Amino acid sequence: MTAPKTDWRNPGPAPTEGPLIDTFGRIAGDLRISVIDKCNLRCTYCMPAEGLPWLEKDEILTVDEIDRLARLFHSLGVREFKITGGEPTVRRELPEIVERVCALDDVDVSITTNGLLLDRLARPLADAGLRRITVSCDSLLRHRYAEMTRRDAFEKVTAGLAAAKEAGLDPVKINCVVIRGTNDDEAVDFARLAHDGGYDVRFIEYMPLDAERTWERDKVMPAEETLAAVSAAYELTPVAQDTPQPATAFRFADGAPGALGFIPSVTNPFCDSCNRMRITAEGAFRVCLFALEETDLRSALRAGTDDAELERLIREALWHKWPGHKINHPDFVRPDRSMSMIGG
């Protein structure tokens, strides 16, 4: 991390031009936009079985508001956009949202989804301009998938993955949250799926972002242990990366088309090089997944605020970004929001 030029707690005025930057020299170029807080699963590490109090329709950003914010961030140098939820595919206007963001120049646009509705949406999303997609799937066993998500929907996920491939989306990534004692015994099975099916599987450490606050550190499966288990079954070749990435990436030494990534979100966070920002479904701007403060962009939008003032709010929030979330420190404070409320 670049040494701060000033105290991030009291940094003085934010820059008024140039890239979106914080006091540590981190340039923010990746924006995750949540388009809805609702989800059609009830994953045990995310929300209660009965779900959460959902936002009213008029509380979430409209398509035009999302479009305006995407254009503004694009004008400020953002080129990576991830559409998230909740579950983004349950929002009826998702193809239109994707089409508008994809229409921006020189952008990399993707979505993260649980895949349940991809059997009918993969093609419309591809037609809207989407080129790649990430599907969250934490077990390849039907009964375990049902236990973890509280829905017997594994066959819908496999159908969605097949539809994504058929629609020409490439790569099709699979995010697997690895929980010790729950699904850590499936790491090699997921690697086999990547190897034989040409998928890009990412193993993610279990993070304290569940609404019921039942997260336990003992259930965190370190990424290095998952890597060791997979390496015992497959010879892997490290992938050189030009820019800092959260995942340590590998390909198969035998030339198989799939890929693997290991993301040590808890044991070795990537705060030093983090370039991510988030906008929640109701328009709250967050400069860190674990942020304890937010900037209300929706109210500003609906009050008729011009782009110059919106830019000032964004730059000011980013200028106060902390060094990191302290997840491995005694004084770590987890956010009030769960992952589904923040946006993946």
Side-chain angles (χ1 to χ4, degrees), residues 230-308:
V230 172
S231 296
Y234 291 96
E235 184 180 354
L236 304 177
T237 302
V239 176
Q241 300 179 123
D242 296 333
T243 58
Q245 298 291 333
T248 302
F250 295 86
R251 294 210 172 267
F252 295 97
D254 64 4
L260 300 174
F262 300 82
I263 304 178
S265 317
V266 175
T267 61
N268 189 21
F270 57 96
C271 302
D272 285 3
S273 59
C274 181
N275 69 339
R276 297 178 175 182
M277 304 168 287
R278 285 174 168 81
I279 296 176
T280 68
E282 74 274 40
F285 178 54
R286 300 174 64 89
V287 297
C288 173
L289 177 60
F290 288 92
L292 303 178
E293 298 178 350
E294 301 176 332
T295 299
D296 181 5
L297 297 182
R298 184 191 67 191
S299 293
L301 284 168
R302 295 181 181 180
T305 302
D306 62 20
D307 283 358

Side-chain angles (χ1 to χ4, degrees), residues 92-330:
R92 178 176 53 84
E93 304 100 332
L94 180 62
E96 181 183 357
I97 293 170
V98 168
E99 183 174 22
R100 292 204 191 187
V101 180
C102 286
L104 299 172
D105 292 335
D106 188 30
V107 290
D108 178 10
V109 182
S110 62
I111 73 167
T112 295
T113 171
N114 59 34
L116 268 61
L117 302 179
L118 275 186
D119 56 345
R120 62 180 177 82
L121 280 175
R123 175 56 61 185
L125 289 171
D127 290 343
L130 193 69
R131 293 295 173 262
R132 63 186 184 91
I133 197 165
T134 300
V135 177
S136 298
C137 179
D138 303 318
S139 179
L140 301 176
L141 302 174
R142 179 177 173 179
H143 72 280
R144 183 177 287 171
Y145 181 89
E147 291 170 358
M148 294 183 73
T149 65
R150 301 190 179 101
R151 297 288 188 272
D152 184 9
F154 180 68
E155 292 180 358
K156 292 288 290 180
V157 179
T158 56
L161 287 169
K165 287 271 192 180
E166 185 177 349
L169 299 176
D170 183 31
V172 176
K173 294 185 179 181
I174 298 175
N175 278 352
C176 174
V177 175
V178 185
I179 305 175
R180 189 186 295 279
T182 298
N183 65 342
D184 54 307
D185 59 337
E186 293 190 62
V188 174
D189 295 327
F190 272 99
R192 184 178 302 111
L193 177 65
H195 180 277
D196 298 346
Y199 294 104
D200 186 341
V201 173
R202 300 297 175 100
F203 298 101
I204 305 172
E205 291 180 349
Y206 176 39
M207 293 182 285
L209 288 167
D210 59 304
E212 295 182 295
R213 295 178 174 264
T214 59
W215 180 84
E216 300 174 54
R217 182 172 288 275
D218 288 346
K219 292 183 179 179
V220 175
M221 180 72 172
E224 63 180 13
E225 292 188 33
T226 304
L227 172 59
V230 172
S231 296
Y234 291 96
E235 184 180 354
L236 304 177
T237 302
V239 176
Q241 300 179 123
D242 296 333
T243 58
Q245 298 291 333
T248 302
F250 295 86
R251 294 210 172 267
F252 295 97
D254 64 4
L260 300 174
F262 300 82
I263 304 178
S265 317
V266 175
T267 61
N268 189 21
F270 57 96
C271 302
D272 285 3
S273 59
C274 181
N275 69 339
R276 297 178 175 182
M277 304 168 287
R278 285 174 168 81
I279 296 176
T280 68
E282 74 274 40
F285 178 54
R286 300 174 64 89
V287 297
C288 173
L289 177 60
F290 288 92
L292 303 178
E293 298 178 350
E294 301 176 332
T295 299
D296 181 5
L297 297 182
R298 184 191 67 191
S299 293
L301 284 168
R302 295 181 181 180
T305 302
D306 62 20
D307 283 358
E309 175 61 13
L310 287 172
E311 178 183 344
R312 188 194 67 78
L313 292 173
I314 292 164
R315 288 186 180 276
E316 189 70 22
L318 189 62
W319 193 235
H320 285 83
K321 184 175 181 176
W322 55 10
H325 48 58
K326 296 186 177 183
I327 198 168
N328 292 309
H329 294 256

Side-chain angles (χ1 to χ4, degrees), residues 2-57:
T2 302
K5 297 177 181 178
T6 184
D7 181 1
W8 66 272
R9 297 177 184 85
N10 186 27
T16 58
E17 58 184 21
L20 291 175
I21 194 169
D22 64 26
T23 59
F24 296 89
R26 295 171 295 198
I27 296 175
D30 181 318
L31 180 65
R32 279 126 202 273
I33 304 174
S34 176
V35 297
I36 196 164
D37 61 324
K38 295 179 181 177
C39 187
N40 46 7
L41 293 181
R42 298 292 182 270
C43 296
T44 54
Y45 60 81
C46 186
M47 67 174 68
E50 65 274 14
L52 293 165
W54 309 124
L55 295 168
E56 297 295 332
K57 184 177 181 180

Side-chain angles (χ1 to χ4, degrees), residues 65-98:
E65 288 169 340
I66 292 171
D67 179 60
R68 182 179 172 193
L69 288 176
R71 290 177 180 278
L72 175 58
F73 276 92
H74 182 265
S75 73
L76 299 176
V78 173
R79 293 297 180 267
E80 294 183 54
F81 292 88
K82 172 83 76 174
I83 309 300
T84 72
E87 173 45 46
T89 60
V90 303
R91 179 153 181 180
R92 178 176 53 84
E93 304 100 332
L94 180 62
E96 181 183 357
I97 293 170
V98 168

